Amino acid sequence: MSLYELVKPLLFTLSPERAHSLAIFALKHGLMPRKSPTHSSRLSQDLWGLGFPNPVGLAAGFDKNAEVYQAMLEQEFGFVET
């Protein structure tokens, strides 16, 4: 059984605002699992003179105060808008 399966019932009782605050807290304090990078040259993109490891990004709004952008990049997003 995964950690997510254990905490899912609790997580789904939280308000969206509280869940967001907990996610930011976990990212800020290094409580999120880290994966080894799995970059694929087939997914990399070069647009407007910028290189992206993959086309999947995190849109602006999640990290409104630019507190955890590096932690989100470590979650293997190709880019993070802050």
Side-chain angles (χ1 to χ4, degrees):
M1 180 177 274
S2 72
L3 178 61
Y4 177 72
E5 290 174 304
L6 288 173
V7 298
K8 182 180 173 182
L10 172 65
L11 291 175
F12 278 58
T13 64
L14 300 174
S15 70
E17 294 81 14
R18 184 70 177 143
H20 180 261
S21 295
L22 285 173
I24 295 292
F25 178 87
L27 288 161
K28 192 184 289 188
H29 292 90
L31 301 176
M32 298 298 288
R34 293 213 168 105
K35 302 174 189 171
S36 57
T38 56
H39 300 294
S40 168
S41 61
R42 292 173 31 180
L43 293 176
S44 66
Q45 306 283 315
D46 288 310
L47 302 166
W48 308 290
L50 299 172
F52 300 94
N54 65 63
V56 179
L58 181 64
F62 177 77
D63 188 13
K64 297 173 191 155
N65 298 318
E67 299 175 85
V68 293
Y69 63 89
Q70 186 62 42
M72 293 311 301
L73 288 170
E74 291 170 4
Q75 295 296 313
E76 296 196 49
F77 282 101
F79 61 93
V80 175
E81 293 181 19
T82 55

